[in-house]
Amino acid sequence: MDASFKSFILNRTGAFHLQETETLQDLWSGYGKIIRFELTGAPVNSVVVKHVQIPENLTHPIGWNNKLSHTRKLKSYEVESSWYASYSKKSSSRVPHCFGTLKRNEDVLIILEDLDAAGFSVRKNTVNWAEIVSCLTWLAKFHARFLGAHPSGLWEVGTYWHLQTRPQELEALKDINLKNAAVAINAKLNNARYKTFVHGDAKLANFCFSENGEVAGVDYQYVGGGCGIKDVAYFIGSCLQEKECERLETKILDSYFRALHKAMGKKNEALEREWRTLYAFAWADFHRFLKGWKPDHWKINSYSERITKTVINTL
């Protein structure tokens, strides 16, 4: 990281000295790093910095390396900067405080609160029911807060698997019935009457837990407009095996909608009816992306196939 970026961090945090202590994570496809810095003289002892640097040689873990993929990633970092600059302080769900963002050429710097230091130091690979409810409640508060809002500066349609941004994965899809239904499934979701902001990548790995079970959400590259149930379907698929997804489906939806109505301050039965119906469409939509992107992915299972078949038969 060059001196001007470090100077920006010092200026925005009020520190007079900083020290890079560890790299927390490499960004997808080598597009930079997430780094923790210790600070001296600032109100906080540390910050986490997302530093986007475009690699000289573009690569992709499973081969999807092309101009469209590169352009989508660049926009995703612009969207994330916009989210933190314009929306993050409005969130009713716990998100990192942003000290500032900076863009220079194609490099992006986002200075964030260190959630570990704020008490959210636990990461989960598996979750119990109480932890699932905590994440569903986080999503419900997020969706309630931005219900009806226009995603200016964000993705017009959120989620990283959105059909219009994934034409090559659709072309590669071998499931002809699903391929032929993809546009109609996408339209069903996009034409929902009730829309909000979706996180867009609400997998278990993007939730940070406290010791008492509270959660904070990170990674807003694909936040944008849409029906909130897309986040719910994607989250559940990220943390449960297929038998649990099927067995707990009603319980999951009941818990989410209880939390959503509570966050809204009133019960909206029309919204609940619409989004409950769209849960299967959201599941099928992600299944479409996954089967085109990585046909041997572990999330492709009989439960997803059955849901998708049912959705296609209703079209």
Side-chain angles (χ1 to χ4, degrees), residues 256-272:
Y256 168 73
F257 283 111
R258 276 196 301 270
L260 182 66
H261 295 314
K262 183 178 179 180
M264 292 169 60
K266 61 180 180 180
K267 189 169 185 178
N268 187 327
E269 294 182 352
L271 181 152
E272 180 174 343

Side-chain angles (χ1 to χ4, degrees), residues 143-154:
H143 297 151
R145 176 63 184 85
F146 295 106
L147 189 65
H150 179 71
S152 179
L154 308 177

Side-chain angles (χ1 to χ4, degrees), residues 14 30 66 95 131 133 147 183 185 191-192 266 277 286 291 313:
N66 49 61
V95 304
E131 291 159 347
V133 171
L147 189 65
V183 171
I185 293 170
N191 292 333
K266 61 180 180 180
T277 299
F286 182 68
K291 290 189 77 173
N313 288 339

Side-chain angles (χ1 to χ4, degrees), residues 143 189 227-234 253 256-257 275 278-279 282:
H143 297 151
L189 292 165
C227 56
I229 205 68
K230 293 197 289 186
D231 277 338
V232 176
Y234 177 70
L253 292 176
Y256 168 73
F257 283 111
W275 285 11
L278 292 177
Y279 181 73

Side-chain angles (χ1 to χ4, degrees), residues 74-90:
L74 292 185
K75 181 173 179 179
S76 78
Y77 295 118
E78 291 180 5
V79 164
E80 187 167 31
S81 296
S82 180
W83 155 261
Y84 278 116
S86 302
Y87 299 102
S88 62
K89 291 181 180 179
K90 302 175 183 178

Side-chain angles (χ1 to χ4, degrees), residues 25-35 49-61 64-77 80 106-109 221-222:
Q25 182 181 328
D26 291 326
L27 298 181
W28 186 256
S29 298
Y31 275 65
K33 299 178 182 296
I34 300 176
I35 307 163
V49 175
K50 192 166 190 175
H51 184 201
V52 180
Q53 289 180 295
I54 309 307
E56 291 184 7
N57 299 310
L58 299 178
T59 60
H60 190 281
W64 291 99
N65 177 37
N66 49 61
K67 184 177 180 181
L68 181 62
S69 174
H70 176 65
T71 302
R72 183 175 59 247
K73 289 185 183 70
L74 292 185
K75 181 173 179 179
S76 78
Y77 295 118
E80 187 167 31
E106 290 186 331
D107 283 15
V108 176
L109 201 72
Q221 291 175 226
Y222 293 94

